[in-house]
Amino acid sequence: MTNNNHKAPHYLIIMGPPGSGKGTRCPALVKHFGIAHLSTGDMLRKVASSGTTLGTQISQIIDSGKFVDDVTMEKMLREYIMNDKTCMTAGFVLDGFPRTVKQAEMLDTLMQDLKGSIQKVILCEIPDSLIIRRICGRLVHPASGRTYHEEFCPPAVAMRDDVTGDALVRRADDNPETIGKRLETYHEQTAPLIEYYAKKGILVRVDTSGGIDENLTEFLSAIESK
Ligand code: AP5
Ligand code: MG
């Protein structure tokens, strides 16, 4: 059941370090608020697997643990939102954008164009020490973005998606070396956004170091409350 009938759109951001559970928490937000899940990582991985020159360039950037440039990211996101009915009517949760202060400023402009504003920024907090174990066991269904974990959230049939039965894969950037670089980039370039959104009074901190569905009700009420 969704809460979005006849209501103003919900605009949310979920942020946190790699492997902190951003993508895992999004289906609950999508179901509860009836909004779209916009994962810029998933969008980029689709381009990366397209076999084009741009795809190869993006794939190299992702595998290096660095970021795709801000202008390309804003353009890709803007085009997606403007052409997606759910985004334009019900709203969205941004997972992976913004990742730099420049992207946050670009998003402020985009929100003005949408005549709306981001209501909540959910910060997934987890110690760095838990991250490698979470990421190294991750299995994904590329077509839907559904995420599993071989130990913490295994699929019903080994290496198969529960819904479609398609094969699950490991992400190319899910290896200890790239994870170290992704974490470094996060702390350098994305962590300053915590202060950016705390100052606006819209930051909600959520401890995601517990079980996958732990505190789900509290999680959703913290996002609904003003
Ligand atoms: P992206 O795909 O966004 O990767 P990320 O930020 O590194 O985050 P992850 O997807 O790895 O982690 P997550 O927090 O979603 O964790 P998950 O829920 O899957 O971006 C990839 C790359 O694309 C970037 O490095 C960059 O190069 C590029 N990019 C993307 N956006 C960009 C932008 N805006 N600008 C520039 N470049 C951009 O959970 C991880 C695992 O843990 C799963 O297996 C899950 O089952 C398990 N798990 C989750 N929660 C729990 C729990 N509570 N208990 C036990 N297990 C759990
Ligand atoms: Mg993710």
Side-chain angles (χ1 to χ4, degrees), residues 47-85:
V47 182
S49 63
S50 65
T52 59
T53 311
L54 177 65
T56 308
Q57 285 165 355
I58 286 180
S59 173
Q60 283 165 354
I61 295 171
I62 293 178
D63 294 349
S64 71
K66 294 188 178 148
F67 289 164
V68 174
D69 72 275
D70 295 335
V71 174
T72 302
M73 291 310 303
E74 194 272 347
K75 187 168 176 281
M76 187 180 81
L77 187 69
R78 178 179 282 269
E79 272 176 20
Y80 189 97
I81 290 173
M82 297 297 180
N83 290 299
D84 185 82
K85 195 171 165 222

Side-chain angles (χ1 to χ4, degrees), residues 68-78 81-82 94 97-114 118 193 196-197 200:
V68 174
D69 72 275
D70 295 335
V71 174
T72 302
M73 291 310 303
E74 194 272 347
K75 187 168 176 281
M76 187 180 81
L77 187 69
R78 178 179 282 269
I81 290 173
M82 297 297 180
L94 293 175
F97 190 97
R99 269 178 139 95
T100 62
V101 172
K102 180 74 192 160
Q103 288 183 15
E105 290 165 356
M106 288 167 146
L107 179 62
D108 289 342
T109 307
L110 173 57
M111 294 312 300
Q112 280 170 16
D113 296 345
L114 292 173
I118 298 292
L193 293 180
Y196 185 91
Y197 288 117
K200 289 181 188 268

Side-chain angles (χ1 to χ4, degrees), residues 22-23 39 42 45 95 138 171:
K22 303 182 291 296
S39 159
D42 285 349
R45 280 183 286 278
D95 164 8
R138 171 165 50 195
R171 275 172 42 179

